[in-house]
Amino acid sequence: MAEELKVIVFTLAQEEYGIEVDKVRTIERMMPITRVPKTPAFVKGVVNLRGVVIPVIDLRGRFGLNESDYTENSRIIIVAASELEVGFIVDSANDVLDVMSDAIENPPEVVGGVKAKYLSGVAKIGENRLLILLNLPEVLNRNEIIQLEQFEE
């Protein structure tokens, strides 16, 4: 029997992506981000969210897509990865969907310019909608998590 997976749907460069709901802590509007020196370009800095300092990554930059200006729809999705909370800047976050596990296929080598290692699969939704599911552990690979944990100290 196919399992149902609840995912938060967000967009990046006109593509739809999904993150499992249980990995998402909160979705926030854009807020002031404090730059942190000597970090990769896609690490935009840190935000203070209700007294907690959270590193923020621009997912467009992380995936090697062209970064764009933030808009009224831009959001920061706060996700929990291992013991760490990280914010992902996305173009918009607009939906929660139930995806059946049997509708998920292995990702091709590159989807929308994003390498397969960052993706856990591609879900077919309805007739002509595809949802790209993120592989969170790889998006925040171990070395980068170590770098990010050093911000929190």
Side-chain angles (χ1 to χ4, degrees), residues 52-73:
V52 179
V53 175
I54 298 175
V56 176
I57 292 173
D58 191 315
L59 273 190
R60 280 178 171 254
R62 177 69 179 110
F63 294 159
L65 304 170
N66 290 333
E67 290 188 27
S68 69
D69 293 334
Y70 305 132
T71 69
E72 192 60 30
N73 295 324

Side-chain angles (χ1 to χ4, degrees), residues 8-43:
I8 301 274
V9 178
F10 65 91
T11 57
L12 273 185
Q14 279 79 56
E15 298 284 345
E16 286 190 309
Y17 294 82
I19 298 179
E20 294 165 46
V21 166
D22 61 358
K23 305 275 192 289
V24 175
R25 292 278 194 258
T26 171
I27 299 173
E28 302 290 334
R29 293 184 174 273
M30 290 303 293
M31 59 185 79
I33 298 173
T34 304
R35 222 30 221 135
V36 177
K38 296 188 177 134
T39 56
F42 60 82
V43 176

Side-chain angles (χ1 to χ4, degrees), residues 66-112:
N66 290 333
E67 290 188 27
S68 69
D69 293 334
Y70 305 132
T71 69
E72 192 60 30
N73 295 324
S74 298
R75 294 290 180 265
I76 300 175
I77 299 178
I78 309 294
V79 298
S82 63
E83 302 296 301
L84 180 70
E85 288 190 349
V86 177
F88 291 149
I89 298 173
V90 300
D91 296 348
S92 67
N94 39 11
D95 219 349
V96 176
L97 276 183
D98 293 323
V99 177
M100 299 308 289
S101 58
D102 58 4
I104 300 172
E105 298 179 6
N106 289 333
E109 279 306 297
V110 173
V111 181

